[in-house]
Protein backbone atom coordinates (compact mmCIF):
# COMPACT_ATOMS: atom_id res chain seq x y z
CA UNK A 1 0.00 0.00 0.00
CA UNK A 2 1.46 3.36 -1.02
CA UNK A 3 0.53 6.96 -0.26
CA UNK A 4 -0.68 6.64 3.34
CA UNK A 5 1.94 9.26 4.05
CA UNK A 6 2.58 11.97 1.43
CA UNK A 7 5.37 14.54 1.71
CA UNK A 8 4.79 17.53 -0.57
CA UNK A 9 7.19 20.17 -1.91
CA UNK A 10 6.62 23.21 -4.11
CA UNK A 11 10.10 22.64 -5.53
CA UNK A 12 12.69 19.94 -4.92
CA UNK A 13 15.84 18.68 -6.62
CA UNK A 14 14.38 15.20 -7.24
CA UNK A 15 11.64 13.27 -5.44
CA UNK A 16 13.60 10.03 -5.94
CA UNK A 17 16.78 11.56 -4.49
CA UNK A 18 14.79 12.83 -1.51
CA UNK A 19 13.48 9.35 -0.65
CA UNK A 20 16.89 7.89 -1.32
CA UNK A 21 18.55 10.22 1.16
CA UNK A 22 15.99 9.60 3.91
CA UNK A 23 15.22 5.97 3.20
CA UNK A 24 16.21 4.69 6.66
CA UNK A 25 13.74 6.97 8.38
CA UNK A 26 10.77 6.43 6.08
CA UNK A 27 7.83 4.08 6.47
CA UNK A 28 7.02 1.59 3.74
CA UNK A 29 4.83 3.24 1.10
CA UNK A 30 5.82 6.86 1.84
CA UNK A 31 5.30 9.03 -1.21
CA UNK A 32 7.01 12.30 -2.12
CA UNK A 33 5.38 14.79 -4.50
CA UNK A 34 7.03 17.88 -5.98
CA UNK A 35 5.32 20.45 -8.20
CA UNK A 36 8.64 21.14 -9.87
CA UNK A 37 12.06 19.48 -9.82
CA UNK A 38 15.37 21.22 -10.33
CA UNK A 39 17.40 18.05 -10.86
CA UNK A 40 14.87 15.53 -12.15
CA UNK A 41 16.52 12.32 -13.30
CA UNK A 42 15.49 9.88 -16.00
CA UNK A 43 16.82 6.44 -16.87
CA UNK A 44 20.31 5.98 -18.30
CA UNK A 45 21.61 9.16 -16.61
CA UNK A 46 19.19 11.34 -18.60
CA UNK A 47 17.85 14.60 -17.22
CA UNK A 48 14.08 14.71 -16.63
CA UNK A 49 13.20 18.35 -17.27
CA UNK A 50 10.56 19.09 -14.65
CA UNK A 51 8.81 22.49 -14.92
CA UNK A 52 5.66 23.30 -12.91
CA UNK A 53 2.46 21.84 -14.34
CA UNK A 54 3.32 18.15 -14.58
CA UNK A 55 3.22 15.37 -12.01
CA UNK A 56 6.51 14.30 -10.40
CA UNK A 57 6.46 11.82 -7.55
CA UNK A 58 8.30 8.88 -6.02
CA UNK A 59 7.45 6.26 -3.43
CA UNK A 60 9.45 3.83 -1.38
CA UNK A 61 8.62 0.18 -0.83
CA UNK A 62 10.28 -1.86 1.86
CA UNK A 63 9.12 -5.39 1.07
CA UNK A 64 12.01 -7.80 0.57
CA UNK A 65 11.79 -9.95 -2.57
CA UNK A 66 13.97 -11.91 -4.93
CA UNK A 67 15.78 -9.75 -7.50
CA UNK A 68 14.39 -12.03 -10.24
CA UNK A 69 10.95 -10.55 -9.54
CA UNK A 70 11.86 -6.90 -10.01
CA UNK A 71 9.99 -6.69 -13.32
CA UNK A 72 6.71 -7.19 -11.41
CA UNK A 73 7.04 -3.63 -10.16
CA UNK A 74 7.52 -2.36 -13.72
CA UNK A 75 4.37 -4.21 -14.74
CA UNK A 76 2.31 -2.88 -11.85
CA UNK A 77 3.38 0.74 -12.29
CA UNK A 78 3.09 0.68 -16.08
CA UNK A 79 -0.45 -0.64 -16.13
CA UNK A 80 -1.47 1.73 -13.31
CA UNK A 81 -0.41 4.68 -15.46
CA UNK A 82 -2.13 3.27 -18.54
CA UNK A 83 -5.36 2.73 -16.57
CA UNK A 84 -5.10 6.20 -15.08
CA UNK A 85 -4.73 7.81 -18.50
CA UNK A 86 -7.63 5.73 -19.81
CA UNK A 87 -9.76 7.16 -17.01
CA UNK A 88 -9.02 10.56 -18.53
CA UNK A 89 -9.96 9.23 -21.94
CA UNK A 90 -6.41 8.94 -23.26
CA UNK A 91 -5.40 5.69 -24.94
CA UNK A 92 -1.90 4.85 -23.75
CA UNK A 93 0.51 2.07 -24.67
CA UNK A 94 3.68 0.69 -23.09
CA UNK A 95 6.97 1.04 -24.89
CA UNK A 96 8.99 -1.78 -23.38
CA UNK A 97 10.38 -1.81 -20.84
CA UNK A 98 8.59 1.07 -19.19
CA UNK A 99 7.88 4.22 -21.17
CA UNK A 100 4.26 5.18 -21.56
CA UNK A 101 3.20 6.58 -24.91
CA UNK A 102 0.05 8.30 -26.11
CA UNK A 103 -0.43 9.16 -29.79
CA UNK A 104 3.03 7.62 -30.29
CA UNK A 105 4.73 10.21 -28.09
CA UNK A 106 6.07 9.84 -24.58
CA UNK A 107 3.61 10.97 -21.91
CA UNK A 108 5.16 9.32 -18.83
CA UNK A 109 8.42 7.86 -17.63
CA UNK A 110 9.24 5.45 -14.83
CA UNK A 111 12.50 5.15 -12.91
CA UNK A 112 12.82 2.11 -10.65
CA UNK A 113 15.83 1.94 -8.32
CA UNK A 114 16.61 -0.73 -5.76
CA UNK A 115 18.79 -1.46 -2.77
CA UNK A 116 20.06 -4.88 -1.78
CA UNK A 117 22.13 -7.54 -3.52
CA UNK A 118 20.60 -11.00 -4.01
CA UNK A 119 17.31 -9.80 -2.61
CA UNK A 120 15.79 -6.43 -3.26
CA UNK A 121 15.38 -4.83 0.17
CA UNK A 122 14.04 -1.44 -0.82
CA UNK A 123 12.58 -0.10 -4.04
CA UNK A 124 12.23 3.55 -4.95
CA UNK A 125 9.84 4.14 -7.83
CA UNK A 126 9.92 7.56 -9.51
CA UNK A 127 7.23 8.61 -11.95
CA UNK A 128 6.88 11.65 -14.18
CA UNK A 129 3.61 12.19 -16.05
CA UNK A 130 3.23 15.08 -18.49
CA UNK A 131 0.00 16.78 -17.54
CA UNK A 132 -0.25 20.50 -18.26
CA UNK A 133 2.89 21.21 -20.29
CA UNK A 134 2.03 22.51 -23.75
CA UNK A 135 5.45 23.03 -25.27
CA UNK A 136 8.30 20.50 -25.17
CA UNK A 137 10.56 22.68 -27.37
CA UNK A 138 13.05 20.49 -29.24
CA UNK A 139 11.16 17.39 -28.06
CA UNK A 140 7.78 18.39 -29.51
CA UNK A 141 7.81 15.45 -31.92
CA UNK A 142 8.71 12.99 -29.15
CA UNK A 143 6.76 14.13 -26.09
CA UNK A 144 3.14 14.94 -25.36
CA UNK A 145 0.90 15.75 -22.40
CA UNK A 146 -2.66 15.39 -21.29
CA UNK A 147 -3.23 19.11 -21.91
CA UNK A 148 -2.03 18.80 -25.50
CA UNK A 149 -4.17 15.73 -26.16
CA UNK A 150 -7.35 16.89 -24.43
CA UNK A 151 -7.01 20.66 -24.77
CA UNK A 152 -7.68 21.35 -21.13
CA UNK A 153 -5.74 21.69 -17.86
CA UNK A 154 -5.79 19.29 -14.95
CA UNK A 155 -5.35 19.34 -11.19
CA UNK A 156 -2.09 17.59 -10.29
CA UNK A 157 -3.03 16.25 -6.85
CA UNK A 158 -6.33 14.83 -8.07
CA UNK A 159 -4.37 12.95 -10.68
CA UNK A 160 -1.94 11.64 -8.07
CA UNK A 161 -4.75 10.45 -5.81
CA UNK A 162 -6.30 8.53 -8.68
CA UNK A 163 -2.93 6.91 -9.38
CA UNK A 164 -2.57 5.83 -5.74
CA UNK A 165 -6.02 4.24 -5.75
CA UNK A 166 -5.42 2.35 -8.97
CA UNK A 167 -1.97 1.16 -7.90
CA UNK A 168 -3.13 0.00 -4.47
CA UNK A 169 -6.02 -1.93 -5.97
CA UNK A 170 -3.76 -4.13 -8.12
CA UNK A 171 -3.13 -7.38 -6.28
CA UNK A 172 -3.28 -10.08 -8.95
CA UNK A 173 0.05 -10.33 -10.79
CA UNK A 174 -1.31 -12.65 -13.46
CA UNK A 175 -4.03 -10.30 -14.65
CA UNK A 176 -1.62 -7.34 -14.31
CA UNK A 177 0.86 -9.21 -16.52
CA UNK A 178 -1.85 -9.99 -19.09
CA UNK A 179 -2.80 -6.35 -19.22
CA UNK A 180 0.87 -5.36 -19.61
CA UNK A 181 1.14 -7.71 -22.60
CA UNK A 182 -2.04 -6.36 -24.19
CA UNK A 183 -0.77 -2.80 -23.89
CA UNK A 184 2.78 -3.59 -25.02
CA UNK A 185 3.92 -2.07 -28.30
CA UNK A 186 6.88 -4.42 -28.61
CA UNK A 187 4.92 -7.59 -29.44
CA UNK A 188 5.15 -8.45 -33.14
CA UNK A 189 8.11 -6.15 -33.88
CA UNK A 190 10.91 -7.42 -36.11
CA UNK A 191 14.33 -7.79 -34.57
CA UNK A 192 17.77 -8.78 -35.82
CA UNK A 193 19.55 -10.88 -33.20
CA UNK A 194 23.04 -12.29 -33.78
CA UNK A 195 22.64 -11.77 -37.54
CA UNK A 196 19.24 -13.51 -37.85
CA UNK A 197 15.75 -12.06 -38.33
CA UNK A 198 13.19 -12.68 -35.61
CA UNK A 199 9.73 -11.55 -34.53
CA UNK A 200 9.10 -10.60 -30.94
CA UNK A 201 6.57 -13.08 -29.57
CA UNK A 202 6.13 -11.96 -26.02
CA UNK A 203 7.54 -10.45 -22.85
CA UNK A 204 7.81 -12.86 -19.92
CA UNK A 205 6.82 -11.93 -16.34
CA UNK A 206 10.53 -11.62 -15.47
CA UNK A 207 11.06 -9.07 -18.26
CA UNK A 208 12.83 -11.42 -20.69
CA UNK A 209 11.75 -11.19 -24.32
CA UNK A 210 10.75 -14.21 -26.38
CA UNK A 211 11.84 -14.03 -30.01
CA UNK A 212 11.00 -16.53 -32.73
CA UNK A 213 11.79 -17.46 -36.35
CA UNK A 214 11.43 -20.67 -38.40
CA UNK A 215 14.50 -22.19 -36.72
CA UNK A 216 14.62 -20.83 -33.21
CA UNK A 217 12.57 -19.75 -30.25
CA UNK A 218 14.76 -17.95 -27.70
CA UNK A 219 14.48 -15.91 -24.55
CA UNK A 220 16.70 -12.88 -24.34
CA UNK A 221 17.36 -10.48 -21.50
CA UNK A 222 16.31 -6.86 -21.93
CA UNK A 223 19.91 -5.62 -21.81
CA UNK A 224 20.80 -7.64 -24.90
CA UNK A 225 18.96 -5.45 -27.40
CA UNK A 226 18.89 -1.82 -28.37
CA UNK A 227 15.28 -0.69 -28.11
CA UNK A 228 15.81 2.73 -29.60
CA UNK A 229 16.47 1.10 -32.95
CA UNK A 230 13.42 -1.12 -32.50
CA UNK A 231 10.94 1.71 -32.15
CA UNK A 232 12.40 4.05 -34.72
CA UNK A 233 10.96 2.07 -37.66
C1 LIG B 1 12.56 8.00 -17.79
O1 LIG B 1 11.69 7.82 -18.62
O2 LIG B 1 13.74 8.16 -18.12
C2 LIG B 1 12.19 8.00 -16.33
C3 LIG B 1 11.77 9.36 -15.86
C4 LIG B 1 11.39 9.40 -14.39
C5 LIG B 1 11.13 10.80 -13.91
C6 LIG B 1 10.59 10.83 -12.51
S1 LIG B 1 9.91 12.39 -12.08
C7 LIG B 1 9.80 11.91 -10.41
C8 LIG B 1 11.04 11.11 -10.09
N1 LIG B 1 12.12 11.98 -9.68
C9 LIG B 1 13.13 11.97 -10.54
O3 LIG B 1 14.19 12.64 -10.43
N2 LIG B 1 12.85 11.15 -11.56
C10 LIG B 1 11.57 10.50 -11.40
Amino acid sequence: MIGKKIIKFESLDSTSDYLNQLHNKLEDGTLCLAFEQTKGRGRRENIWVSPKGNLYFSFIKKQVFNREDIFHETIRVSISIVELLEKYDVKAMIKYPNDILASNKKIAGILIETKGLKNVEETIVGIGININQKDFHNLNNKATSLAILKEQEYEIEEFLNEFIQIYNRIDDMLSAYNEYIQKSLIIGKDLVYKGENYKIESVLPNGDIVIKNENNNINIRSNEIDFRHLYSE
Side-chain angles (χ1 to χ4, degrees):
M1 168 118 170
I2 60 161
K4 220 169 86 187
K5 177 154 192 202
I6 299 181
I7 308 170
K8 259 192 262 178
F9 292 92
E10 264 318 303
S11 179
L12 191 66
D13 49 359
S14 152
T15 54
S16 287
D17 288 349
Y18 178 84
L19 295 183
N20 208 0
Q21 280 147 18
L22 290 181
H23 72 107
N24 277 329
K25 302 196 179 77
L26 299 171
E27 270 171 50
D28 175 43
T30 304
L31 189 148
C32 174
L33 164 71
F35 293 103
E36 118 188 300
Q37 295 183 123
T38 52
K39 281 194 183 144
R41 294 186 292 111
R43 287 189 304 128
R44 296 190 225 95
E45 319 280 303
N46 286 330
I47 295 172
W48 188 260
V49 182
S50 311
K52 267 201 186 353
N54 298 325
L55 175 57
Y56 313 106
F57 68 102
S58 304
F59 54 85
I60 185 163
K61 294 179 70 167
K62 297 202 163 185
Q63 288 100 334
V64 177
F65 60 87
N66 193 308
R67 192 159 280 284
E68 294 274 297
D69 293 336
I70 182 63
F71 198 68
H72 294 183
E73 189 59 34
T74 301
I75 293 175
R76 186 171 179 182
V77 175
S78 306
I79 66 159
S80 300
I81 298 173
V82 169
E83 278 182 34
L84 173 66
L85 290 167
E86 278 171 356
K87 250 191 127 167
Y88 285 82
D89 205 23
V90 167
K91 186 172 154 30
M93 295 293 282
I94 301 161
K95 179 175 156 188
Y96 177 91
N98 58 6
D99 284 347
I100 310 299
L101 306 192
S103 296
N104 265 325
K105 296 180 179 180
K106 184 155 167 170
I107 192 162
I110 303 163
L111 178 70
I112 297 182
E113 296 169 304
T114 58
K115 294 189 196 299
L117 293 169
K118 183 168 177 289
N119 283 327
V120 171
E121 277 149 26
E122 287 183 357
T123 312
I124 294 176
V125 179
I127 299 174
I129 307 180
N130 300 332
I131 313 263
N132 292 320
Q133 188 169 351
K134 295 212 181 73
D135 190 358
F136 291 88
H137 312 283
N138 57 333
L139 293 176
N140 274 336
N141 58 348
K142 288 196 170 149
T144 193
S145 69
L146 215 68
I148 293 174
L149 295 169
K150 306 305 293 177
E151 294 181 350
Q152 71 181 85
E153 299 224 332
Y154 295 85
E155 219 277 301
I156 300 292
E157 282 177 84
E158 193 184 304
F159 217 81
L160 173 64
N161 287 333
E162 303 243 31
F163 173 88
I164 294 170
Q165 280 176 34
I166 294 172
Y167 179 93
N168 283 339
R169 232 184 283 130
I170 295 172
D171 59 356
D172 175 8
M173 255 330 287
L174 184 63
S175 64
Y177 166 69
N178 288 335
E179 194 177 336
Y180 180 91
I181 292 294
Q182 272 171 29
K183 297 286 154 71
S184 230
L185 283 171
I186 199 172
I187 317 278
K189 292 245 181 235
D190 294 320
L191 173 85
V192 179
Y193 180 68
K194 296 191 174 161
E196 279 197 62
N197 293 322
Y198 288 90
K199 253 205 189 331
I200 298 176
E201 278 275 297
S202 191
V203 178
L204 298 178
N206 69 357
D208 285 0
I209 292 162
V210 184
I211 57 172
K212 196 175 174 182
N213 66 14
E214 315 75 64
N215 311 318
N216 292 314
N217 190 334
I218 15 187
N219 293 0
I220 50 176
R221 298 232 62 126
S222 65
N223 55 10
E224 287 186 73
I225 46 177
D226 182 351
F227 302 107
R228 278 161 296 183
H229 162 73
L230 202 64
Y231 292 104
S232 62
E233 300 157 16

